[in-house]
Amino acid sequence: MSRFQVKKVAVLGAGVMGAQIAAHLVNCRVPVVLFDLPAKEGPKNGIVSRAIEGLKKLKPAPLGVVEDASLIQQANYEEHMDVLKECDLIIEAIAERMDWKTDLYERIAPFIAEGAIVASNTSGLSITTLSEALPEAIKPRFCGIHFFNPPRYMALVELINTPTTQPAVLDDLEAFVTTALGKGVIRAHDTPNFIANRVGIAGILATIKEAEAFGLSYDVVDDLTGKKLGRASSGTFRTADVVGLDTMAHVIKTLQDNLGEGKIADPFAAMYGTPPVLAKLLDAKSLGQKTGAGFYKKVGRDILRLDPESMEYVPGGAKADEVVGRMLKKPAGERLGLLRHAEGAEPRFLWAILRDQFHYAAVHLASIAETARDIDFAMRWGFGAKQGPFELWQEAGWLQVAHWIKEDIDAGKALGSAPLPDWVFTGPVADAGGVHTPEGSWSASSQAFIPRRKLPVYERQLFPEAVLGSNAPAFETAGTTLHEDDAIRLWTLDADQGDVLIASIKTKMHAISPDVAEGLALGVDLAEKSYKGLVIWSNHAMFSAGADLQSMLPAFMMGGAAMIDGVEAELQNVMLRLRYAAVPVVSAIRGLALGGGCEMAVYSAKRVAAMESYIGLVEVGVGLVPGAGGLAYIARRAAENAARSSNKDVLPFLTEGFTAAAMASVGTGAIDSRRLGYLLDSDVIVPNKDELLFVALNEARALYTSGYRPPHKRLFPVAGRNGVATIKGQLVNMRDGSFISAHDFHIASLIAGVVCGGDVDAGTLVSEEYLMTLERQAFCALLEHPKTQERIMGMMSTGKPVRN
């Protein structure tokens, strides 16, 4: 069987997007060469070199660790064209100029390898027109590819074909982008701005118009259109500032240049005019966050908002009416009804922008997307929405909402006069109560419900994201349950996948309570008796936020620290059960793995982590030390690393682990978490979060099949009292220099005492249990410290760390 292999990628264009695409390829361990024009002065690769240096300074960080910038091969079009022949995929990402792109295609065509795929990263230019600059032999292997910015973090990638693109090319590219780069792929028609930007930018323009019509300030609009509405927390205008107002203007101009009278027909063409306030900001070179001013401006610690009347910045921070917030918590049908029929400006504004989006998406579905599912995924993955427009419409009651929209169109309240398509009111969609069904999602162009594409790569996604109404299997009820309570579910997949036990934590933020610990211990028992391994996994954006401090408070109030000692001892015993289980325990990590979640991971036989996993021991933030084996792990790993080195002194190998725990450092992703020592080189980083369970189950099976045996319980050397003294000497300087508080010094000193093994000679051999005892002593002593209690109560009441 032959398959498309990507051994090397060329990215053409070292601008903001090109350089970040190259960075993400490096994160995913894909060899990449980054091209640009030869520099006019200095080294010929100067443009690329500067772009790579710039990657190290960007926030959010495009690279997993900045050192990996050196893995991006540098090239220019004058000296290195032959390098293109080594590349299986070429991604062109130069400026959005049709003439520049086609000139480049003519230049590179002789150097494109047979079988290589060529793709243009563009946010809206015609892919078919671009393809005309390529030789006939290359046209079948050419398509559009649209990464969203920033490429590392944004899930969406749009693929766009031309009339000459071979279907197999899109299948191959979709498989690569999905599994190797971890993206959610949708296929868009070759229409201006494709799907996400077409619908998303229309939504932003509608929001600007409706905000003006209802007299709402930008800060209030952002409060209304952020988390309260199930969208990105930055709302509308703050998001525009972050993206860049020049970027937004460019996307709007694409709509203006291609849609309307004498161009592609579009009944909403009148709304694509550049809003006057945006035009004024562009003239003033106020382009948003990149220039320090846009719809908002930061002055010192204050965030000012723009007053569109005076074009002056005034104090911001206004919030929406609490009554509207309560409306938005109601079930979808009731919520939309309340918004539509309310008297106030804020709820009527919200109904207006939702109605405008429903209207726009329905009218354009046939021309821009294969199915309604593509539009909903585009808005989820590209614009941070919890639901796409069709999902919300369907949940609220399809025909009722449709009639409300029609009434507004007929009354002239909508932004466009185009009627809703007939399929909205009659036929299969009306009969099904919406566009999403178990059989598939509605295709307005085909007049049928079409299922998701069945490529082999999707067999790796056991519980992929699904749209409302598709009745996709839910992991909460899938498979066979062996044990379930309010804290944890122990279960297996059905059929030939049922040979590995799965533990899914159910508590809020997957906090590790005594009940969770008891469930994990039961899981180990069951796995040892009947299964090939145990995988700890939950299909949510969080592995575990740590130990459940709140569940410990009653015991502490009744019996003080002595009661907590027993709770901590049980938790430590569970961690040791995970480590020394007779079958492999694999932690499948995604999102936060903090405190006890980090400890649960490091005591597993192996870790499989999604790319965006943030792992760390953060107990210092609440005035405590790690108490479930985290410090014992740091000491043991230091001893193991020292044993593999010619330098047998343990202390140098403790430095990084001690510092990470004392500073509550959290990895900025899986790659950085590996640098901190919470993931090992032998652990697996999975780019696509939806493949996490599949990979983890197979890792457990592989370990079992290879004859897995748990590690021997060994004694190992510690740094002893001399190590404690050395570390405390450095801490004194930090305290006296006011870099840390006196309580921080106290906590860090206790951490040093544990990881160095306490008051013993350097090189003394100790056990994990011995170190865990020291951990518990330090943990319980801090619980009774007034300043730690202040930190705990502050975190519980505000969610923010208290520095005292």
Side-chain angles (χ1 to χ4, degrees), residues 643-765:
R644 289 192 288 268
S645 169
S646 58
N647 179 7
K648 301 305 179 186
D649 182 7
V650 175
L651 185 59
F653 297 93
L654 268 178
T655 304
E656 194 169 77
F658 164 79
T659 303
M663 300 297 291
S665 298
V666 176
T668 56
I671 298 171
D672 191 48
S673 297
R674 176 178 277 162
R675 180 185 61 81
L676 293 176
Y678 299 131
L679 295 177
L680 307 182
D681 289 341
S682 56
D683 292 331
V684 179
I685 296 176
V686 180
N688 195 308
K689 62 179 176 55
D690 290 332
E691 296 183 3
L692 196 60
L693 179 59
F694 174 87
V695 175
L697 292 170
N698 280 291
E699 287 294 321
R701 291 187 188 102
L703 287 170
Y704 178 88
T705 302
S706 63
Y708 177 80
R709 301 288 300 177
H712 285 293
K713 285 195 173 187
R714 297 179 185 273
L715 301 180
F716 49 88
V718 290
R721 65 178 70 89
N722 291 343
V724 177
T726 300
I727 293 174
K728 288 183 72 173
Q730 297 169 346
L731 292 173
V732 166
N733 293 334
M734 295 180 70
R735 180 196 62 194
D736 294 348
S738 299
F739 295 104
I740 60 175
S741 70
H743 195 48
D744 289 329
F745 172 81
H746 177 58
I747 298 168
S749 297
L750 290 175
I751 292 174
V754 176
V755 298
C756 291
D759 188 18
V760 297
D761 293 335
T764 298
L765 299 178

Side-chain angles (χ1 to χ4, degrees), residues 4 6 24-25 28 30 89 91 117 145-147 151-152 154-159 169-187 377 381 452-465 610-611 685-692 694-695:
F4 177 64
V6 179
H24 187 62
L25 287 160
C28 298
V30 178
L89 172 62
I91 300 173
I117 293 175
I145 186 169
H146 181 206
F147 287 86
R152 171 182 166 184
M154 296 301 291
L156 179 62
V157 168
E158 294 174 311
L159 297 183
V169 166
L170 283 184
D171 290 349
D172 287 340
L173 191 55
E174 181 168 346
F176 171 74
V177 171
T178 298
T179 198
L181 304 188
K183 300 303 177 186
V185 173
I186 60 173
R187 297 195 190 181
F377 277 154
W381 296 338
R452 291 190 72 174
R453 193 169 288 105
K454 293 187 180 298
L455 296 178
V457 66
Y458 292 122
E459 295 174 7
R460 298 168 58 88
Q461 298 184 7
L462 302 178
F463 297 98
E465 282 196 55
M611 185 70 73
I685 296 176
V686 180
N688 195 308
K689 62 179 176 55
D690 290 332
E691 296 183 3
L692 196 60
F694 174 87
V695 175

Side-chain angles (χ1 to χ4, degrees), residues 171-420:
D171 290 349
D172 287 340
L173 191 55
E174 181 168 346
F176 171 74
V177 171
T178 298
T179 198
L181 304 188
K183 300 303 177 186
V185 173
I186 60 173
R187 297 195 190 181
H189 296 331
D190 190 9
T191 55
N193 288 343
F194 312 129
I195 296 176
N197 276 342
R198 181 75 174 269
V199 177
I201 293 299
I204 291 174
L205 289 171
T207 300
I208 294 173
K209 288 179 181 291
E210 301 289 8
E212 182 180 349
F214 286 99
L216 300 179
S217 61
Y218 299 141
D219 46 4
V220 170
V221 169
D222 279 350
D223 189 45
L224 287 169
T225 61
K227 284 188 175 181
K228 285 184 172 70
L229 202 61
R231 297 181 178 178
S233 59
S234 50
T236 301
F237 295 100
R238 177 61 184 150
T239 297
D241 273 357
V242 171
V243 170
L245 302 189
D246 53 341
T247 302
M248 188 169 81
H250 170 78
V251 179
I252 293 171
K253 189 174 186 305
T254 301
L255 297 176
Q256 296 168 350
D257 291 346
N258 292 280
L259 301 171
E261 189 175 349
K263 306 164 190 173
I264 300 172
D266 187 330
F268 292 87
M271 68 179 284
Y272 299 145
T274 303
V277 64
L278 177 60
K280 291 176 183 178
L281 287 169
L282 293 170
D283 288 343
K285 300 293 188 289
S286 297
L287 307 180
Q289 184 172 277
K290 69 178 78 173
T291 60
F295 289 108
Y296 295 95
K297 181 178 182 180
K298 187 173 183 180
V299 179
R301 294 187 176 183
D302 297 325
I303 304 294
L304 307 182
R305 68 164 175 85
L306 183 71
D307 174 16
E309 294 296 323
S310 66
M311 292 302 291
E312 299 291 332
Y313 290 93
V314 299
K319 299 293 184 184
D321 192 314
E322 290 183 4
V323 173
V324 180
R326 290 197 289 272
M327 289 182 185
L328 293 174
K329 293 180 181 178
K330 300 289 185 180
E334 184 180 354
R335 182 193 325 153
L336 294 192
L338 288 170
L339 294 176
R340 183 173 191 267
H341 297 107
E343 294 296 326
E346 292 178 17
R348 288 189 294 127
F349 158 78
L350 284 175
W351 161 252
I353 64 170
L354 291 171
R355 173 205 63 214
D356 294 340
Q357 190 178 55
F358 298 155
H359 184 196
Y360 191 91
V363 169
H364 286 96
L365 174 58
S367 62
I368 68 173
E370 183 181 37
T371 72
R373 177 177 52 248
D374 297 314
I375 288 181
D376 281 346
F377 277 154
M379 300 314 295
R380 278 208 224 168
W381 296 338
F383 282 81
K386 287 185 178 178
Q387 283 184 309
F390 287 118
E391 290 180 287
L392 176 57
W393 181 350
Q394 181 165 334
E395 184 183 12
W398 183 263
L399 286 176
Q400 175 63 80
V401 174
H403 286 296
W404 285 341
I405 298 169
K406 182 180 185 302
E407 289 172 12
D408 281 10
I409 296 170
D410 294 343
K413 295 179 180 179
L415 288 182
S417 59
L420 288 173

